Amino acid sequence: MKFIDEYRDPLLAGKLLERIARLALSAGRQMTIMEVCGTHTVTIGRFGIRNLLPENIRLISGPGCPVCVTSIHDVDSALFLAGIPGVIFATFGDMLRVPGSQGVTLQRVKARGADIRVIPSAVDCIELAGENRTKEVVLMGIGFETTSPTVASVVRDCKERGIKNFSVFSVHKVIPPALKVLVDDPALNIDGFLCPGHVSTIIGAEPYTFVAEAGSSAVITGFEPVDILEGIFMILGQIREHKKTVAIQYRRGVNPEGNLRAKELLNDVFKPGATSWRGLGMIPDSGLYFREAYRNFDARLRFDIPPLESVEVTGCRCGDVLRGIISPRECPLFKSVCTPLNPLGPCMVSTEGTCSAYYRYH
Amino acid sequence: MCLGIPGKILSIDEHKRAVVEISGVQREVRLDLIAEATEPGDYVICHAGFAIHRIDENLAQELLDCLREIAGT
Ligand code: SF4
């Protein structure tokens, strides 16, 4: 398939690996590279890239799986909203099996009779709201900058059309503030980041400037094996030159300035605010909340979410996995108790969660 | 969740909805998030029912050729 197969070319991948090996050898030290996005993690697992790299390159997985970083409190709030009589709770499929406190999931709430619909796109909410005028359609607004503009677009559309029985529970998050936390963490000491390609399609290159200023490479990288290898190759090149910059490997998918229209839309509907990430805790300006003009679409205002006492699953180390502090194999529950069929934490639920990717491919 | 898949635009209607071929399957995506003019035959990166980027085919080809040269294939 065009724009995919070329970037899976084994010959090209092999040559890049040779180049990487040479650079790694001349560096003569241990280097740590973080792949930020869950989709990177899946490609790396699926094509066995971790095992093909020279031993002195350590690839660690980052916080780029939206379902995984959603706090248990937000999961509990979603469970509450989904259980309100008269609510149609619309969500992307990944959320269904994420356990909240006491292991309750949306799937379980659905089995008990809640009206939960799995939708591939926020656009589907427009039809849902139109066909069910006596019900309240609530969308689980989850995802990074790749996804949030699609939700913003639907919200603006609903406002223009005067659709009133639709709201969004926004737990959207933005990536750069989370990266800032990782860059500033002295325990991690990351030489370079493979920055998320499709988040960058929207936000462009500029928001990563602080990474380079802090002395790490930020290479915006695509999702095919050749992309990942070229991204690593570019980071090693920067290390050799002692020049850390923001660079775009995934140029076919990312303009340096990002997607201006999507950014404008995002900024029109949402404003940044502090939010809590699983594993990383509260991060300023890393969440998206409705602006005044769109407050009617805010599920947090429309429904009275009571204060919920959320408790994390005992023993699950998703938080440490998301910060790159441990690899899933170091979690005592990995594969023994926690499996994709019986996931204890979100990192095992989501197909792009680090634990699930390690389970399938290592 | 940030999966974006390249697809080829087959047709566009007056509401900026396009039918796109992705891995041999036809899907409807919205073009509202793209400022550039698009027409059937163009490739776009699709995510959650929206096209989020138009791929510049010439640029993509140039970059790939350049990478091949650097890598020595
Ligand atoms: S293996 Fe399971 S229990 Fe352990 S960190 Fe991953 S999701 Fe949590």
Side-chain angles (χ1 to χ4, degrees), chain A residues 316-318 331 333-334 338 345 348 355:
Chain A
C316 170
R317 300 198 54 194
C318 267
C331 169
L333 304 178
F334 181 67
C338 182
M348 188 61 92
C355 298

Side-chain angles (χ1 to χ4, degrees), chain A residues 90-322:
Chain A
T91 177
F92 301 124
D94 268 15
M95 253 333 270
L96 270 194
R97 292 168 61 229
V98 176
S101 299
Q102 285 92 41
V104 184
T105 60
L106 283 172
Q107 204 168 36
R108 185 127 32 112
V109 178
K110 184 175 159 82
R112 282 190 213 136
D115 192 347
I116 297 174
R117 315 277 179 107
V118 173
I119 49 160
S121 164
V123 171
D124 296 279
C125 290
I126 301 176
E127 214 168 282
L128 267 181
E131 287 168 358
N132 299 278
R133 290 189 190 275
T134 56
K135 302 251 173 95
E136 281 285 337
V137 175
V138 181
L139 171 67
M140 177 86 195
I142 187 167
F144 298 128
E145 293 95 321
T146 321
T147 315
S148 43
T150 70
V151 173
S153 173
V154 168
V155 166
R156 185 142 91 181
D157 207 4
C158 285
K159 191 179 184 199
E160 279 159 14
R161 294 182 196 208
I163 294 175
K164 297 213 158 54
N165 58 330
F166 169 62
S167 61
V168 179
F169 177 53
S170 170
V171 300
H172 289 295
K173 292 182 172 55
V174 292
I175 283 283
L179 281 189
K180 180 97 181 48
V181 172
L182 298 171
V183 165
D184 292 343
D185 187 342
L188 279 175
N189 202 0
I190 295 166
D191 293 283
F193 291 86
L194 297 173
C195 293
H198 292 133
V199 163
S200 310
T201 301
I202 307 297
I203 68 175
E206 193 275 330
Y208 302 107
T209 311
F210 70 90
V211 178
E213 283 169 1
S216 300
S217 301
V219 177
I220 295 166
T221 303
F223 300 99
E224 296 302 331
V226 164
D227 292 322
I228 305 266
L229 293 174
E230 189 186 7
I232 294 171
F233 175 66
M234 289 168 77
I235 291 178
L236 295 184
Q238 292 194 8
I239 291 174
R240 190 187 55 187
E241 306 292 325
H242 299 289
K243 198 167 171 270
K244 305 294 175 64
T245 59
V246 182
I248 308 176
Q249 178 279 326
Y250 189 44
R251 186 61 186 83
R252 69 182 182 281
V254 176
N255 295 328
E257 71 281 8
N259 179 332
L260 298 179
R261 173 168 299 187
K263 279 199 282 191
E264 177 273 320
L265 185 63
L266 206 51
N267 187 43
D268 178 47
V269 175
F270 294 114
K271 60 176 187 240
T275 193
S276 178
W277 295 53
R278 191 185 297 256
L280 301 178
M282 198 53 111
I283 306 176
D285 293 337
S286 70
L288 292 180
Y289 298 94
F290 280 96
R291 286 195 190 275
E292 197 49 36
Y294 294 92
R295 71 194 307 269
N296 290 343
F297 293 95
D298 190 348
R300 291 176 199 269
L301 297 176
R302 190 171 301 195
F303 302 96
D304 222 353
I305 305 176
L308 301 162
E309 284 293 333
S310 297
V311 262
E312 300 277 355
V313 182
T314 344
C316 170
R317 300 198 54 194
C318 267
D320 292 333
V321 171
L322 291 164

